Each structure stands twice: as C-alpha cells, then as structure tokens.
Amino acid sequence: CSVLILFFFTRKKLKESCPLLLRGEMDISPSVSLGLQACGDSSHVPDAAYRDLVGVVFDVLLQKRDETALESSSSLSSLDQGVLKEVYAALATFTLHAAQNDTDVVNLTSLLEECKLTPDRCQVYADSYSARKNDLRALLSSTASRFPHVVDVNWRLDYYIKNNHVDKVNQAVYLVSLKTQDCGQSGTSDVQFACTVEQLQDLVGKLKDAVKCMDKVATSA
C-alpha cells in the first residue's frame, strides 16, 4: 500500500510540475508573462507595431514569412531591439502553446488580460488566433513528434500462488494500466504492464527523478 501511495503522490507532483504533460492545459512561464506584459505597454510597443507583430508571429509560425519580416516592417524595426526580441519570443511561444493545447479564445483573452493587455489588443490577437488556429494545429500535427501524455492510471494487485508449471510462486504482482491521450484527440489508449513490488519501486524512483528535473526547469525558467 505504501508503494502505491508513493506512486500516486509522485504522479500528483508531476501533474503539478508539468501541467502541459498530464492535463493539456495552457500554462505561462514567468519569462513569457513578462514578454506579454511588454506587448501590452504602448510606451514600448505602439498600437501599429503591435498589430504588425501579431501578423508577423502568425505568418512566421505558419511558414509564410521568415523572421526578416521583423526588420522589413517600419513599425517594428523602429522598436528597441531588446524589447522586440522579448515580445516576439513571448507572443510566438504563447501562440504555439495555445495551438498545441487547443485553447479557446475565452481562456486566451483572460490570460492576456492578466498580462495587462487592453481589450482592443486582446481582440486583435483573438481575431488572428481564431482565423489561423486550425492551420497552426494542422501544421503542428504534421511536423511534431510527441509522445502521448498520461491522463489517468488504473491498477490491480494480484497474488500468484503457483505458476503454469505448478511451481509455488507466492508473489504479489501489480497490473498497471496507463490511460494515454494523443494531442488534439478526444479518445484514450491503454498501456498495460505487470510488475513486482521491486519493479514498481524502481519505477517510482525514476518518476521522482523526473519530478526533480521538472522542478529545476520550472525554477530556472
């Protein structure tokens, strides 16, 4: 029982540390949040520059233009280059995560408002996102190679007294079923395996190592 409690505690920690992995939900890192706040600051990014920035971000992600478009736009090239790099990276990252997780416009707008963007700027972004989200998701699905993410776990404990050769075994075996889901798909698949207590303990140890790595990444982001 203690092993299984630790297993689910580890899964809970992984879910908290990496929500995109287990829940498919939108999550913003501190660096992206700061970049989006700069997008909402008209003293750094005037309205005309913001509209052009949104257009360039979507065009670059859809491979219609490359990043030289940032230099060819008069409204963008006149911005401080440090600010331009920050807001471009933040908006591009935000857009990719939104498309990957099929985030709806209502949630996106709420996130942008939390980053101090005005309603007008939120609407500019929302209109572009709504018009191009399907194209972005189609492009991502054709180019990305991502593993399915775990959405649930079921298990059963069996106790084997004898094997097929009528030899005494007297061993507990855990039957574990991982529910997995591919990005953008509503259905789930099962990944099933059997393991002993020792093997499950080894799995838990490796999961705990993974959680520590994710915590380090989250702290340094």
Side-chain angles (χ1 to χ4, degrees):
C1 292
S2 61
V3 172
L4 291 173
I5 291 172
L6 182 57
F7 178 81
F8 286 109
F9 172 77
T10 304
R11 180 176 179 271
K12 179 176 182 293
K13 288 292 294 179
L14 181 59
K15 189 172 184 180
E16 293 171 351
S17 301
C18 191
L20 290 177
L21 178 63
L22 289 175
R23 294 182 297 175
E25 295 179 0
M26 189 68 179
D27 186 45
I28 304 178
S29 69
S31 60
V32 171
S33 179
L34 289 173
L36 292 176
Q37 289 177 43
C39 281
D41 188 345
S42 59
S43 65
H44 291 305
V45 184
D47 289 341
Y50 173 78
R51 285 191 295 270
D52 289 345
L53 176 65
V54 172
V56 169
V57 164
F58 279 98
D59 283 351
V60 170
L61 293 179
L62 289 170
Q63 301 177 356
K64 294 182 178 180
R65 289 191 281 175
D66 58 32
E67 293 182 352
T68 58
L70 295 170
E71 302 171 1
S72 60
S73 168
S74 58
S75 64
L76 294 176
S77 61
S78 62
L79 299 180
D80 177 88
Q81 291 304 296
V83 171
L84 179 58
K85 290 179 181 179
E86 181 185 16
V87 296
Y88 170 74
L91 200 59
T93 302
F94 180 79
T95 302
L96 278 176
H97 283 183
Q100 286 172 346
N101 293 281
D102 197 17
T103 309
D104 59 43
V105 171
V106 173
N107 286 328
L108 278 185
T109 300
S110 176
L111 289 169
L112 292 174
E113 288 175 345
E114 290 177 7
C115 292
K116 312 303 181 184
L117 271 72
T118 64
D120 287 343
R121 294 198 176 195
C122 290
Q123 190 62 53
V124 169
Y125 181 85
D127 290 344
S128 293
Y129 178 79
S130 297
R132 304 180 190 183
K133 183 180 76 169
N134 290 338
D135 292 337
L136 268 176
R137 287 180 58 77
L139 181 62
L140 288 170
S141 65
S142 66
T143 58
S145 56
R146 301 196 303 163
F147 293 108
H149 56 273
V150 178
V151 295
D152 199 4
V153 177
N154 294 316
W155 61 273
R156 186 178 81 239
L157 175 62
D158 286 350
Y159 192 83
Y160 289 90
I161 299 176
K162 296 181 180 180
N163 59 20
N164 292 335
H165 303 290
V166 198
D167 296 325
K168 288 187 177 181
V169 178
N170 294 329
Q171 184 180 50
V173 175
Y174 291 99
L175 302 178
V176 182
S177 177
L178 304 178
K179 293 284 184 182
T180 65
Q181 187 176 54
D182 289 312
C183 179
Q185 302 297 319
S186 57
T188 60
S189 301
D190 290 332
V191 177
Q192 298 177 332
F193 60 91
C195 59
T196 63
V197 173
E198 293 77 14
Q199 291 170 330
L200 187 57
Q201 287 174 331
D202 182 58
L203 173 61
V204 170
K206 291 177 179 178
L207 287 173
K208 290 178 69 176
D209 290 340
V211 172
K212 291 178 182 177
C213 290
M214 293 303 301
D215 286 340
K216 290 180 180 178
V217 171
T219 302
S220 60

